[in-house]
Amino acid sequence: MSKYSLIKWKYLAKENMMYGANESAEHDDMSYPRYIRITDLDNEGNLKEDTFKSLPPQIAAPYLLSEGDILLARSGATVGKAYIHKGDLNACFAGYLIKFSSRKDLVNPKFVFYYTQTKYYASWIAENTIQATIQNVSAEKYANLQMPLPSLDIQDEIVKYLDMKVDDLNITVSSKERLLYLLEEKRQSIITEAVTKGLNPNVKMKDSGVEWIGEIPEHWEVKKVKHFSKLVGSGKTPSGGSEVYLDEGIPFLRSLNVHFEGIRLKNLAFISEEIDNEMRSTRIQPLDNLLNITGASIGRSCIVPKDFGRGNVNQHVCIIRVNQNKINPYYFNSIMNSKMAMDQIMTAQTGSSREGLNFQQVKNLMFPVAPLEEQEELNRFIFTKQKEIYNVINRIESQIQKLKEYRQSLIYEAVTGKLDVRELIAEK
């Protein structure tokens, strides 16, 4: 670090940091400049391919990006997220992003971007976030961020080394994420086959009477959720919203806690006994099925374990409480984990102004249903198959997490001078 100087970003910028356009994302004309918003960026600062929006050239003109410009998220849960622009893309940026244009005679823009991937930067963001109604870091705050900076030639060497190493790591991570996608497809396929055809390949089949379901075992029936449910409803957000959440108390489940493999306790919120009593009509019970009915995780579902204890949900999570004399709750959970369920959910919410399901749509979800005694056998089969797949998924997710941690550590070591990249490059 002796060869490094601490320099504020405002002294490395060729112009004042700038907020983006406050325009709604209404256009998708590919001939217009792409309109980059926070939601267009993934966690690694890459542009998503499937969220394209654009602005008319005359509106985009003051906000056009140049090669090496860095965009910084200034508010929300992703505050601090960074993106570096490549000059071959004609693009502008939105108001919740801040543009940093560097003096290239002083700093390599990619060096600045790599610094935003370090734990130093993450700590600075956490310390400088303004906690109001929403997390926020202003352009003025970013301008005063101090960064350790070596000479330009050393910066270039570090960037060259990291480009090579990070690209290799990213390729490995991408291949493992692709494998996760294929495993999830396989899991859904196994479940769908079991809950639509059963386990006996020689069973006599009949036309279900529903075109998209096709043939089902002769002794099965097609039923809607409303035919075997005792409750279809959701919770609500307590008065005061997240301000009343506690570090301990009664678990308060949100859509981020509901996953196909079960309830995830990471980022679990809690509410007081008093608020729980006010919301007693939306308490969960053992073996309730929970279904996300809004947002990007719509359709994700799981079952409440028998030993979960007390808990409540917010308005984005639907509680489906089945009549156990008519259907096994674990079997129903398997049905809700199938592609057949997801396809219906996606069709039901298509065309609405925002992703969301209402209770009537949930009640009208339609499935082939086996007799109760056969459901138990299907449960055992699906549980065994899912356990095998989830064991592999968990192992791969752990590998991905370790690769990402190594990538962050490598970047940190390189940009802070703890790793002499010139010696490593010379060895190659």
Side-chain angles (χ1 to χ4, degrees):
M1 288 288 287
S2 58
K3 297 179 181 177
Y4 284 56
S5 301
L6 279 175
I7 300 179
K8 290 183 178 181
W9 275 11
K10 63 183 175 182
Y11 301 125
L12 301 173
K14 67 179 182 182
E15 58 190 29
N16 289 335
M17 290 192 175
M18 176 183 175
Y19 295 104
N22 289 314
E23 300 287 340
S24 58
E26 297 176 352
H27 302 275
D28 52 13
D29 189 327
M30 300 290 287
S31 68
Y32 290 173
R34 177 164 184 175
Y35 189 34
I36 299 176
R37 302 152 297 160
I38 289 178
T39 53
D40 296 320
L41 306 177
D42 67 17
N43 291 332
E44 277 73 51
N46 302 305
L47 270 180
K48 298 175 184 175
E49 296 180 0
D50 57 351
T51 59
F52 180 91
K53 289 294 178 181
S54 58
L55 282 187
Q58 66 273 19
I59 298 175
Y63 309 100
L64 291 176
L65 296 168
S66 300
E67 174 84 33
D69 282 347
I70 293 172
L71 297 181
L72 305 154
R74 67 181 177 96
S75 63
T78 57
V79 62
K81 186 160 63 175
Y83 159 80
I84 186 165
H85 188 64
K86 295 178 181 178
D88 57 352
L89 175 66
N90 185 21
C92 57
F93 64 107
Y96 287 105
L97 292 164
I98 297 170
K99 183 182 76 169
F100 171 72
S101 298
S102 62
R103 282 185 55 183
K104 294 179 182 176
D105 60 322
L106 296 177
V107 65
N108 185 321
K110 196 69 177 287
F111 185 85
V112 177
F113 174 75
Y114 275 130
Y115 183 76
T116 66
Q117 309 300 300
T118 67
K119 61 182 181 182
Y120 272 176
Y121 175 78
S123 297
W124 181 88
I125 289 292
E127 291 170 6
N128 286 272
T129 298
I130 301 168
Q131 293 286 352
T133 55
I134 191 167
Q135 294 173 306
N136 190 283
V137 175
S138 66
E140 183 182 6
K141 284 275 188 183
Y142 275 119
N144 284 298
L145 186 158
Q146 285 194 116
M147 183 176 78
L149 198 71
S151 63
L152 192 56
D153 64 322
I154 294 177
Q155 292 175 43
D156 292 341
E157 293 289 343
I158 291 171
V159 167
K160 178 182 176 182
Y161 173 77
L162 287 177
D163 280 350
M164 175 182 62
K165 297 293 289 184
V166 170
D167 280 352
D168 287 345
L169 286 168
N170 288 345
I171 290 170
T172 304
V173 168
S174 294
S175 67
K176 290 184 179 295
E177 288 175 338
R178 171 63 179 165
L179 186 53
L180 288 180
Y181 175 80
L182 294 173
L183 284 166
E184 177 58 26
E185 275 195 334
K186 181 181 179 181
R187 185 189 70 83
Q188 283 201 357
S189 176
I190 290 171
I191 294 172
T192 302
E193 184 71 15
V195 300
T196 56
K197 307 300 180 188
L199 302 179
N200 181 2
N202 301 315
V203 71
K204 191 173 181 181
M205 307 293 282
K206 70 177 180 182
D207 186 350
S208 66
V210 181
E211 183 180 353
W212 52 267
I213 293 179
E215 288 193 330
I216 61 174
E218 190 177 46
H219 59 295
W220 289 22
E221 297 179 277
V222 173
K223 292 183 178 293
K224 294 182 178 180
V225 169
K226 63 184 178 183
H227 295 146
F228 50 74
S229 59
K230 296 166 63 176
L231 169 71
V232 174
S234 70
K236 59 183 179 180
T237 296
S239 179
S242 60
E243 296 296 316
V244 302
Y245 293 164
L246 305 174
D247 293 330
E248 57 182 28
I250 309 301
F252 186 64
L253 301 174
R254 298 166 289 169
S255 55
L256 59 84
N257 302 116
V258 176
H259 288 261
F260 286 122
E261 75 272 20
I263 293 172
R264 289 188 185 177
L265 300 180
K266 185 178 179 181
N267 298 317
L268 182 63
F270 297 89
I271 54 176
S272 67
E273 292 271 359
E274 181 183 5
I275 291 174
D276 178 60
N277 284 329
E278 292 172 3
M279 299 173 61
R280 57 186 175 274
S281 63
T282 62
R283 286 174 182 158
I284 56 174
Q285 295 182 11
L287 304 186
D288 280 348
N289 275 268
L290 306 181
L291 171 68
N292 290 347
I293 53 174
T294 66
S297 66
I298 188 169
R300 216 161 58 196
S301 63
C302 68
I303 194 167
V304 177
K306 285 182 178 180
D307 60 353
F308 186 78
R310 292 170 65 186
N312 220 306
V313 297
N314 71 3
Q315 74 272 25
H316 303 296
V317 180
C318 178
I319 300 170
I320 306 174
R321 188 169 300 145
V322 301
N323 182 337
Q324 295 186 36
N325 292 321
K326 295 183 177 180
I327 194 167
N328 185 304
Y330 291 105
Y331 175 72
F332 178 66
N333 179 60
S334 294
I335 290 175
M336 293 304 296
N337 271 248
S338 70
K339 186 176 185 298
M340 174 178 52
M342 185 60 76
D343 287 348
Q344 287 186 76
I345 288 167
M346 291 299 122
T347 300
Q349 61 89 36
T350 297
S352 59
S353 58
R354 65 190 296 268
E355 294 175 330
L357 287 177
N358 58 47
F359 298 146
Q360 197 58 43
Q361 288 171 320
V362 174
K363 290 177 181 179
N364 283 322
L365 295 174
M366 185 183 298
F367 309 105
V369 178
L372 267 172
E373 59 272 16
E374 194 174 342
Q375 292 174 23
E376 191 66 42
E377 182 185 7
L378 286 162
N379 284 340
R380 288 193 295 270
F381 171 80
I382 292 170
F383 175 81
T384 301
K385 291 296 182 182
Q386 283 201 119
K387 186 177 180 181
E388 292 171 359
I389 292 174
Y390 278 132
N391 284 341
V392 179
I393 286 175
N394 291 338
R395 189 161 62 247
I396 294 171
E397 285 180 338
S398 176
Q399 292 169 357
I400 289 172
Q401 182 60 33
K402 287 177 181 176
L403 284 167
K404 288 182 175 181
E405 288 171 358
Y406 172 66
R407 179 177 61 196
Q408 186 183 48
S409 174
L410 182 70
I411 292 170
Y412 163 74
E413 296 280 330
V415 300
T416 56
K418 298 181 186 299
L419 189 68
D420 191 338
V421 303
R422 289 171 298 176
E423 288 184 3
L424 294 171
I425 291 173
E427 289 173 3
K428 288 194 171 292

